[in-house]
Structure formats: C-alpha cells, structure tokens
Amino acid sequence: MSKKILILAGDGIGPEIVAEAIKVLEAVRAPFGLDLTLDEALVGGAAYDASGHPLPEETLAAARAADAVLLGAVGGPKWEPLPIAVRPEKGLLGLRAGLGLFANLRPAILCPQLADASSLKPELVAGLDILIVRELTGGIYFGEPRGVTRLESGERRGVNTLVYTESEIRRICRVAFDVARQRNKRVCSVDKANVLECTELWREVATEVGRDYPDVALSHMYVDNAAMQLVRAPKQFDVMVTTNMFGDILSDAAAMLTGSIGMLPSASLNAEGQGMYEPIHGSAPDIAGKGIANPLATILSVAMMLRYSLHEAAAAQAIEDAVSRVLDQGLRTGDIMSPGMRQVGTVEMGDAVVAALASAG
Ligand code: NAD
C-alpha cells in the first residue's frame, strides 16, 4: 500500500532545504521500489499569511492521515509581533500535540570529515554517533500544579511539577530499546534518582522494560554525570533515554559537540510509529532566499523517516552513505566550510547527493 508523506516546507530557508530533500527522496523511490504519495500543506508563518492560523485544520487533518510528515522550519521576524497564540511556532507545538508525538529522537552524528568543526578535540568526536531519545509530552514542562503565586507575606513563589506515570516512562523506554536494536544495542537511561523520587520510578521502570530486551545492554547514569561524560568522552554512548527537561538540555549539548547545526536531523514519533521529521535548526531568516543554506540536515531527516516510519532501512542507509561521499568529495556549504574544501550552495549540495546516490546505483 502506498505510504503517505506530508511535506510542510514552512518559512525562511524551509522551502529551499525541503526542495532538496524531496529531490533526494525522489531519487531513492525507484531504486528501492518505494510506493509513496507526496502531499504538501502550509504551516507556520506561511499558513498564517494564507489563512490567519499557523496550523490550519486541513494541515492537521492531512498530518494525521499521513504515515510521516517532513517539516522544514517555521518562524521569522515578520511574525514576531503577532500574539503568541498565532505565532508560527504554535503550528509546530500544535502538530506535536495533535499527533501525540511523545518520543523525540535526536542523533548527534559527527561525520569524520567534519571533526574539525567540533569544539572538542577531533579524536574525541570523530565518528561520534549518539541517539538521544527524549520524552516530549510529559514531565516538568507539563506537570500540574504550575505557575507563580503570591504568598501572604507578599513574596512571589514559582512552582513547576515533575510528574511521570509508569506508562509514560514505559512507552518512551520501549522506543529507546527498539531503536537500540537497530544500532549498537546499548541504552543509557539518564535520571536523577538520588534526589528525585519521580526519576527513581523512571529508573525502576527502565530496568523492568530492559528485561524484555535481553539483547540490549542497559546502564543508568545521573544527569549531572551524563552532562560531564558527554563532553569528556561522548563516544561511550549509543542510545540515551531521558525525561523531557533533561533531554532538552542534553540533546542541545550533544548537538553542539558536532559543531554543525546544518547537519543534524530529528524525529518525533507517536505510539503508532507515525512520525514528524525535521532538521534541528530553525528557519535561519538571516540567510533565507540566498541559496546558501545547508540542506543536509533535512536530507538526513528523510533518511530517518525512511528508517523509523517507513521501515526502509536500506534506502535510509543509501542516503546517509551518499551524504558521506559528498563530504568526502570536499563539497561544503558555508556553515561547514573549511580551508581546502569547495563551497557550494543549497541546490548544488542537493544535486551532489542525488548524483552520489546514482553513482552508487
Ligand atoms: P536558526 O537555527 O534558524 O539559526 C541559527 C544560526 O544558524 C543562524 O545564523 C543561521 O543562519 C544558521 N543556520 C541554521 N540553519 C542553517 C542551515 N541549514 N544552513 C546554514 N546555516 C544555518 O535559529 P534562530 O536564529 O534562533 O531562529 C530563527 C527562527 O527560527 C526563529 O523564528 C525561531 O523561532 C525559529 N525556529 C524554528 C525551529 C523549527 O522550526 N523547528 C527551531 C528553532 C528556531
């Protein structure tokens, strides 16, 4: 049966980078016998301009009906004066909530060719390949009670609540163990079980889930140690699974180990395996329309989509290999440029990946 992909290009550099990603998806369609139907819809500022809302009902309905969503980026200075309820970023949050995307997968991969881009010594990061699985719809960002109140003394008091149910922990841990099976079969569960009862429960449930995956090695680490280990010896990790807030912080730190925001894809999955795939960077309004944005994070998001929602691992691998070969050829967009390499624009980079796929034929 044909798999439905909804394309949401969004704002800023979104349409430029998504166009290259579609080219690459088209290039693997025939060789891997993929039966795909591609649809497009509006989201973010583009949707607001057309309909007065950053997530029109027809876009959410199309996303719900799709097997996977490919998103460029949303937002930009043009829409900053708008009320928060209709800002482009609300479109993104609405999609996450509307699709029930509770699992955020953020790889931090550093192609050996780009090891110099990291702030760490090249030998610490060359070949880095970590996947952080972050819980996305629970924890302290959503827990009740929350808010700022005034005490009788007149002093203000701020409250947020860290709360997880067993089932919320179990389902995110299952995602982590399932993806670890497709990788190096190691999961590190990150918590603060020595201080926070809620994450003591997290550790217990992670251990219980681990019993169903005897082929995957489970370890536990306190979040402060995990932060330290990420910058001390990041290659020790394979899959890390953690709470919403810890994952928010650790995944940004891990991304920066690679030194190249234009290279990193991400996936957000729901219980049915439906997913939204997007680069981790934003709409880069400073370079929008100039034809210089790096499309590789979006192209690698297509590879994640093929792997995790469409179960086409061979096509995903082919795209990742093609990106690696293009880097081997010395082609670089401005954000990853280094001396001796050849600087190319967005379209030329996309074309080079397509050519590398064809030559691998
Ligand atoms: P940004 O990621 O858009 O840009 C940060 C810097 O990285 C800029 O200098 C930009 O030129 C550069 N950069 C980003 N992607 C690049 C690429 N593919 N190739 C080359 N250079 C790239 O972050 P920002 O400037 O903080 O935010 C800009 C807008 O994007 C804001 O409106 C913000 O709300 C929005 N945003 C959207 C998302 C999303 O759609 N998921 C995520 C983050 C920010």
Side-chain angles (χ1 to χ4, degrees):
M1 209 176 66
S2 185
K3 301 274 188 181
K4 285 189 194 156
I5 316 253
L6 181 68
I7 312 276
L8 302 173
D11 310 317
I13 60 170
E16 300 168 53
I17 53 180
V18 162
E20 299 313 305
I22 294 175
K23 247 193 235 172
V24 171
L25 185 57
E26 292 293 355
V28 289
R29 200 194 267 244
F32 290 91
L34 308 180
D35 185 3
L36 307 175
T37 310
L38 271 51
D39 267 325
E40 291 186 33
L42 293 175
V43 74
Y48 176 82
D49 288 348
S51 71
H53 199 280
L55 182 59
E57 266 172 36
E58 56 270 28
T59 298
L60 183 57
R64 286 199 171 119
D67 293 286
V69 177
L70 179 68
L71 179 93
V74 298
K78 177 179 173 193
W79 301 283
E80 269 162 25
L82 291 175
I84 285 189
V86 289
R87 289 234 190 107
E89 292 75 7
K90 274 283 172 192
L92 207 58
L93 297 179
L95 277 168
R96 282 183 188 155
L99 296 176
L101 303 173
F102 69 90
N104 185 222
L105 274 56
R106 290 257 306 247
I109 298 171
L110 184 57
C111 315
Q113 302 93 328
L114 301 180
D116 285 340
S118 174
S119 51
L120 295 191
K121 295 188 199 101
E123 63 270 24
L124 286 183
V125 288
L128 180 75
D129 185 357
I130 305 176
L131 182 69
I132 297 188
V133 178
R134 165 189 170 195
E135 201 289 326
L136 202 57
T137 52
I140 198 166
Y141 291 175
F142 294 92
E144 298 282 349
R146 62 187 298 151
V148 177
T149 52
R150 203 171 277 281
L151 300 174
E152 275 177 22
S153 64
E155 188 184 14
R156 283 173 302 164
R157 176 174 180 265
V159 177
N160 287 95
T161 305
L162 174 61
V163 53
Y164 273 114
T165 61
E166 252 183 289
S167 54
E168 283 175 311
I169 303 169
R170 190 162 287 120
R171 67 179 184 176
I172 191 73
C173 288
R174 286 205 176 283
V175 170
F177 279 97
D178 285 338
V179 295
R181 275 190 167 156
Q182 300 179 45
R183 296 170 46 96
N184 291 320
K185 299 192 172 57
R186 287 184 293 121
V187 170
C188 177
S189 171
V190 176
D191 60 44
K192 190 71 184 169
N194 50 343
V195 179
L196 301 171
E197 288 84 352
C198 179
T199 68
E200 208 179 349
L201 176 67
W202 180 284
R203 187 174 283 221
E204 278 171 30
V205 174
T207 305
E208 286 164 23
V209 173
R211 291 195 192 108
D212 293 339
Y213 297 81
D215 51 325
V216 178
L218 170 66
S219 59
H220 303 275
M221 199 177 272
Y222 297 138
V223 64
D224 42 346
N225 187 25
M228 187 175 76
Q229 296 300 332
L230 262 182
V231 291
R232 191 188 72 87
K235 284 196 266 184
Q236 70 184 281
F237 296 110
D238 177 23
V239 175
M240 301 174 91
V241 62
T242 191
T243 65
N244 200 343
M245 182 165 74
F246 294 164
D248 190 4
I249 298 165
L250 293 180
S251 60
D252 267 19
M256 281 306 107
L257 294 179
T258 73
S260 41
I261 195 172
M263 294 295 300
L264 295 176
S266 77
S268 304
L269 306 177
N270 68 13
E272 288 77 46
Q274 239 186 333
M276 185 158 86
Y277 297 83
E278 52 181 316
I280 70 156
H281 60 71
S283 59
D286 52 331
I287 57 167
K290 295 186 179 160
I292 58 172
N294 186 347
L296 293 179
T298 317
I299 289 170
L300 291 169
S301 299
V302 168
M304 284 190 92
M305 179 174 85
L306 288 164
R307 180 168 284 121
Y308 294 120
S309 281
L310 307 183
H311 309 292
E312 296 285 353
Q317 192 62 51
I319 293 176
E320 287 161 358
D321 291 347
V323 167
S324 185
R325 276 200 302 285
V326 166
L327 295 174
D328 278 339
Q329 291 160 14
L331 269 56
R332 302 282 188 273
T333 42
D335 56 314
I336 52 172
M337 185 59 191
S338 60
M341 301 295 136
R342 187 161 79 80
Q343 191 162 338
V344 296
T346 312
V347 172
E348 203 178 337
M349 186 58 106
D351 287 344
V353 176
V354 170
L357 277 166
S359 68

